[in-house]
């Protein structure tokens, strides 16, 4: 056998290995398996990346038919393209791997389910996928790829970090990163609803609508305030989505996340405009949204922006949003009075060291926050052999989630043509690499 024959065999084996890896991961999403709740996410990702594999396979056939010179000239490029598939898959594979660590699994099960329940009302009737939650070294939660601290290996003739992240934005699964220390502090989990709001805004193309519905309000403002609000709109939308998804528990979590001394809070109101609104503005928006949705809330002073809060909140809650079926945002998702009552009852039980009765995971996450607000010591690490309030909530979530896939609850198999999208993505990667090499 010649060197060329061996090289062709090697390439075919490496390419077949990608498909075999995909098959094993898909098998892990069957009912009762660790990734059962990620079935459609894994299917869609492997279908899309399988389209890239199919394109490489076709190129390998063409190169082989061209003879020895073509094989020797193209073999390195084809191997690099296989590595691009692996790198894109590993962006998700490494995060899915966390579900196999026994002591991480209960927490990740809870936050995955919470993210899905916050996202599903917006995604109803679409082929969009809920975000995948993972753990990160960032200080606070964030949604890829809005502010992504991700770097790929520097490989000649392969995608650099910027281009790689540009490609990842075209993959069908959003990513939400949580700080590692949240593993032992479930009361922070309601803030995930804010990050889901970012995914909803991006996935359904809502920013244009957000700007349109707030334009009449912005026209009443001086230019400097108008420019500030225009910069803040994505964050404002995400905060309001968080209130609608988790109610008072979200507002409480946000307040703790943003806590600063009075001097700094006041300075933020007159300082340079940042991507995020000042803490006082965000808390005022959350309080107003709570009041608009029927919950008691204490108004928050926010200096020169105080008169803007009510009309901005009303405009964004009312919409309507063509990307969400022409509905007001408050009709897309809501944390109802009944859910709040269930969350309060569950929090009462946690204070008495009782496992919650409700199986509504949004209520359970809210209950963890409400119980922490009343008695933080409930969530202190327990002595060996005992459990704390977080353990009680996570145990209840595990039972509520069950062993089936989300397809058992009406989340049907994907309808998007992901394989064709993968082939188009392969062509885009080729163009990016060629441009970078020039």
């Amino acid at each position: 056998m010649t060197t060329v024959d061996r090289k062709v065999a090697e390439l075919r084996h490496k390419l077949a290995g990608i498909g075999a890896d995909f098959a094993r991961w898909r098998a892990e999403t069957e009912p009762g398996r660790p990734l059962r709740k990620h079935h459609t996410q894994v299917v869609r990702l492997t279908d899309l990346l399988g389209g890239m594999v199919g394109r490489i396979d076709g190129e390998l056939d063409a190169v082989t038919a061209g003879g020895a010179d073509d094989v020797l000239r193209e073999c390195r490029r084809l191997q690099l393209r296989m590595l691009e598939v692996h790198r894109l898959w590993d962006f998700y594979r490494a995060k899915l791997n966390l579900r196999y660590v026994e002591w991480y699994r209960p927490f990740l099960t809870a936050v995955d389910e919470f993210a899905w329940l916050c996202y599903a009302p917006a995604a109803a009737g679409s082929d969009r996928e809920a975000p995948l939650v993972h753990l990160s070294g960032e200080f606070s939660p964030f949604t890829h790829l809005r502010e992504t601290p991700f770097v790929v290996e520097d490989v000649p003739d392969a995608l650099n970090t910027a281009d790689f992240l540009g490609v990842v934005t075209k993959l069908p699964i959003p990513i939400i990163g949580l700080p590692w220390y949240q593993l032992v502090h479930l009361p922070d989990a309601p803030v995930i609803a804010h990050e889901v709001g970012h995914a909803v805004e991006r996935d359904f193309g809502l920013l244009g609508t957000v700007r349109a519905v707030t334009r009449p309000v912005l026209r009443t403002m001086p230019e400097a305030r108008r420019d500030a609000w225009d910069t803040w709109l994505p964050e404002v939308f995400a905060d309001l989505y968080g209130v609608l998804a988790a109610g008072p528990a979200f507002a409480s979590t946000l307040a703790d996340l943003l806590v600063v001394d009075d001097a700094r809070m006041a300075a933020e109101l007159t300082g340079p405009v940042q991507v995020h609104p000042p803490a006082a503005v965000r808390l005022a928006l959350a309080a107003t949204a709570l009041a608009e949705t029927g919950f008691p809330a204490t108004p928050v002073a926010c200096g020169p922006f105080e008169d803007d809060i009510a009309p901005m909140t009303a405009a964004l809650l009312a919409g309507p949003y063509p990307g969400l079926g022409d509905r007001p945002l408050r009709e897309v998702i809501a944390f109802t009075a009944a859910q709040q009552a269930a969350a309060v009852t569950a929090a009462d039980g946690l204070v008495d060291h009782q496992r919650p009765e409700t199986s509504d995971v949004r209520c359970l996450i809210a209950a963890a926050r409400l119980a922490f607000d009343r008695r933080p010591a409930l969530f202190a690490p327990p002595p060996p052999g005992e459990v704390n309030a977080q353990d009680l909530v996570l145990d209840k979530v595990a039972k509520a989630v069950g062993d089936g896939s989300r397809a058992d609850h009406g989340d049907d198999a994907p309808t998007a043509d992901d394989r064709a999208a993968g082939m188009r993505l392969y062509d885009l990667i080729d163009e990016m690499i060629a441009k970078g090499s020039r």
Side-chain angles (χ1 to χ4, degrees):
M1 181 176 280
T2 67
T3 300
V4 171
D5 291 334
R6 289 197 303 273
K7 178 55 70 174
V8 170
E10 171 198 328
L11 293 174
R12 293 203 183 279
H13 295 164
K14 289 176 177 177
L15 193 59
I18 300 176
D21 189 53
F22 289 168
R24 292 187 184 101
W25 281 93
R26 288 170 80 136
E28 289 296 284
T29 69
E30 294 301 317
R33 300 300 299 158
L35 302 181
R36 61 193 180 280
K37 297 299 178 181
H38 303 280
H39 176 75
T40 58
Q41 292 173 325
V42 171
V43 167
R44 294 202 63 188
L45 285 168
T46 54
D47 274 354
L48 187 144
L49 296 173
M52 295 178 63
V53 170
R55 183 58 62 86
I56 298 170
D57 189 41
E59 290 192 356
L60 179 55
D61 286 343
V63 165
T64 303
D69 287 346
D70 283 359
V71 171
L72 295 176
R73 184 176 60 251
E74 295 294 324
C75 63
R76 182 177 184 275
R77 183 183 68 84
L78 291 174
Q79 288 183 99
L80 286 171
R81 296 302 181 271
M82 293 180 207
L83 281 176
E84 292 298 355
V85 176
H86 273 294
R87 291 205 295 176
L88 288 167
W89 176 223
D90 198 53
F91 184 78
Y92 293 93
R93 179 172 51 197
K95 297 165 178 63
L96 291 167
N97 262 331
L98 293 174
R99 277 81 187 160
Y100 288 89
V101 181
E102 185 179 353
W103 50 95
Y104 297 163
R105 190 182 303 143
F107 176 85
L108 290 170
T109 296
V111 294
D112 275 333
E113 189 75 4
F114 180 67
W116 178 68
L117 290 169
C118 292
Y119 187 88
S126 77
D127 60 8
R128 294 291 184 173
E129 291 290 330
L132 176 69
V133 180
H134 75 107
L135 295 159
S136 158
E138 288 293 290
F139 174 77
S140 62
F142 63 95
T143 305
H144 291 289
L145 293 152
R146 187 169 45 91
E147 44 185 356
T148 303
F150 189 81
V151 178
V152 298
E153 301 91 341
D154 185 11
V155 179
D157 301 320
L159 291 174
N160 59 31
T161 293
D163 285 344
F164 180 89
L165 293 178
V167 170
V168 170
T169 62
K170 302 180 185 303
L171 298 180
I173 315 297
I175 295 288
I176 291 176
L178 299 182
W180 275 96
Y181 44 61
Q182 281 200 15
L183 268 172
V184 295
H185 194 61
L186 190 65
D188 278 352
V191 82
I192 293 169
H194 168 98
E195 303 307 328
V196 173
H198 279 301
V200 168
E201 179 255 295
R202 182 180 64 239
D203 289 352
F204 297 96
L206 304 184
L207 187 54
T209 301
V210 167
R211 289 203 161 100
V213 300
T214 56
R215 194 170 293 126
V217 181
L218 295 175
R219 285 177 181 149
T220 68
M221 301 177 189
E223 184 177 1
R225 280 211 329 265
R226 184 168 63 244
D227 290 346
W229 279 107
D230 188 66
T231 299
W232 297 335
L233 281 175
E235 297 298 331
V236 170
F237 177 89
D239 278 344
L240 295 182
Y241 198 93
V243 172
L244 293 175
F250 173 80
S252 171
T253 310
L254 185 68
D256 276 11
L257 178 68
L258 299 177
V259 65
V260 293
D261 60 86
D262 291 343
R264 180 175 173 183
M265 186 170 284
E268 286 180 345
L269 292 169
T270 55
V273 174
Q274 306 292 332
V275 171
H276 290 79
V281 170
R282 296 182 70 182
L283 297 178
L285 285 162
T288 303
L290 283 177
E292 284 282 321
T293 51
F295 295 111
T298 303
V300 177
C302 55
F305 304 100
E306 202 155 319
D307 292 340
D308 307 335
I309 299 296
M312 288 295 289
T313 302
L316 286 166
L317 292 180
Y321 293 83
L324 300 175
D326 274 324
R327 294 175 291 170
L329 190 61
R330 61 196 303 170
E331 290 184 10
V332 174
I333 185 167
F335 198 76
T336 66
Q339 285 177 303
Q340 178 66 7
V344 170
T345 299
D348 291 341
L350 291 173
V351 170
D352 292 332
H353 208 65
Q354 300 296 315
R355 195 175 75 181
E357 292 296 324
T358 181
S359 294
D360 183 331
V361 173
R362 283 166 65 194
C363 294
L364 289 167
I365 295 298
R369 182 71 218 180
L370 299 178
F372 176 77
D373 288 345
R374 288 166 59 182
R375 192 174 298 175
L378 293 168
F379 292 84
E386 298 185 21
V387 297
N388 65 2
Q390 174 159 324
D391 297 323
L392 293 172
V393 173
L394 294 182
D395 181 63
K396 182 63 178 183
V397 170
K399 289 178 171 57
V401 167
D403 287 334
S405 72
R406 294 197 177 111
D408 296 334
H409 302 284
D411 188 7
D412 295 328
T415 57
D417 190 351
D418 290 311
R419 192 170 182 84
M423 292 181 178
R424 293 192 296 272
L425 193 60
Y426 180 83
D427 294 336
L428 175 63
I429 290 172
D430 254 2
E431 293 171 13
M432 287 178 163
I433 291 173
K435 183 178 178 181
S437 66
R438 289 197 296 271

